[in-house]
Amino acid sequence: MTAPRTPILLDCDPGHDDAIALLLALASPELDLLGVTTVAGNQTVEKTTANALRVLEFVDRADVPVAAGADRPLARELVVAAYVHGESGLDGSSLPPPQGAAVEQHAVDFLAEAIRGSDRPVTLVPVGPLTNVALLLARHPDAAGAVERIVLMGGSIAEGNVTPAAEFNIWADPEAAWRVFRSRLPVTMIGLDVTHKALMTDAHADRLRASGRAGRLVAELYDFFAGFHRETYGFEGAPIHDAVAVAHVLRPGLVETLPRHVDVDCESRLCRGRTVVDLWRRTGEEPNADVGVGIDAEAFLELLCDRIASL
Ligand code: BDR
Ligand code: CA
């Protein structure tokens, strides 16, 4: 008997690693991708929505609905990450413009309807700023409360990437992240502590380039993304951040997690969006998240390459 597939909703801002995370979800029989919602983050929501459609159409999966969501953070100005992902959000790829369009429904209402309509509890996988998820909590608390869990890419215990103190997704909309960590829902945080330990390398990209169309697309995305990481961090490769969150859902145990309390700094100038993780249990606060602290990097990269090559 085959195990039932885990229904997931991917909330994203493609973005190179978002696009690869989406392809990994599509390639994984353990997952049932109910839909893709988009948010402003790496680029404007118009561009992230177009990019989600472009990726789905490229692999003939236009049947997966895309719903466009928040066009700006809850309380901050939108600052996109063109310096990482380029003007299109997916620079370096040769994807054509989308033929189709997003559904009429706003992402937040789409998420609520998909959660309510699923016969099994849904796992929500947000891999961009948490604006849509915070709005879901506020507008549809019943649906939000019915999710199996939230496995998000964002935050960090010890390092930042957009500032010395903060990771981009949390920094971009700290008030939204604060609400998600306060939600009392089961949250898993896949942060930079984990994603920076599992770099895709040129050797993985060469293997993918030789594997077929989807592999060539991922290699193109990698080439651009790795260029940024080489120049900025001196990395010999690129972290495929968002794909780690998807991989953790389909391969439990891939990421080692610890139950810890996480708060988000929405107050300070220097530490805007820092996820303050109580690693050594100093506050006496009850844990509100399972925080990623380690990863079997080789297993992750094998899984990623095998699955993409199978598309
Ligand atoms: C996160 O920020 C974005 O640039 C990536 O898509 C990822 O979700 C990493 O900090
Ligand atoms: Ca992202």
Side-chain angles (χ1 to χ4, degrees), residues 117-272:
S118 172
D119 53 5
R120 280 160 298 136
V122 170
T123 295
L124 189 54
V125 187
V127 295
L130 288 161
T131 323
N132 287 339
V133 184
L135 291 171
L136 178 73
L137 288 165
R139 190 173 156 90
H140 301 287
D142 63 305
V147 298
E148 173 84 16
R149 59 182 180 139
I150 297 174
V151 179
L152 65 88
M153 191 282 134
S156 153
I157 302 171
E159 55 181 310
N161 60 358
V162 63
T163 70
E167 180 281 329
F168 176 78
N169 288 339
I170 308 296
W171 177 90
D173 196 344
E175 286 74 18
W178 188 87
R179 283 164 173 72
V180 172
F181 282 105
R182 294 261 158 160
S183 68
R184 297 180 179 276
L185 296 175
V187 171
T188 300
M189 173 181 131
I190 305 290
L192 300 178
D193 320 274
V194 173
T195 64
H196 279 180
K197 286 187 188 127
L199 303 186
M200 179 182 269
T201 63
D202 289 0
H204 296 113
D206 289 343
R207 183 171 141 196
L208 283 168
R209 224 181 304 275
S211 72
R213 279 179 86 237
R216 276 197 296 282
L217 171 61
V218 170
E220 277 175 11
L221 293 168
Y222 164 84
D223 288 345
F224 185 90
F225 207 43
F228 166 79
H229 286 88
R230 195 174 304 117
E231 280 163 32
T232 310
Y233 304 100
F235 285 177
E236 288 297 326
I240 314 297
H241 308 281
D242 297 347
V244 179
V246 171
H248 184 59
V249 177
L250 73 95
R251 185 69 61 84
L254 188 74
V255 176
E256 183 197 350
T257 62
L258 292 174
R260 289 296 182 267
H261 187 266
V262 181
D263 208 339
V264 178
D265 193 339
C266 299
E267 306 291 332
S268 87
R269 182 185 62 81
L270 268 181
C271 295
R272 164 184 168 175

Side-chain angles (χ1 to χ4, degrees), residues 20-43:
I20 299 173
L22 173 54
L23 292 168
L24 175 62
L26 293 169
S28 295
E30 298 88 344
L31 305 179
D32 181 9
L33 181 62
L34 303 180
V36 176
T37 52
T38 56
V39 65
N42 287 327
Q43 260 301 346

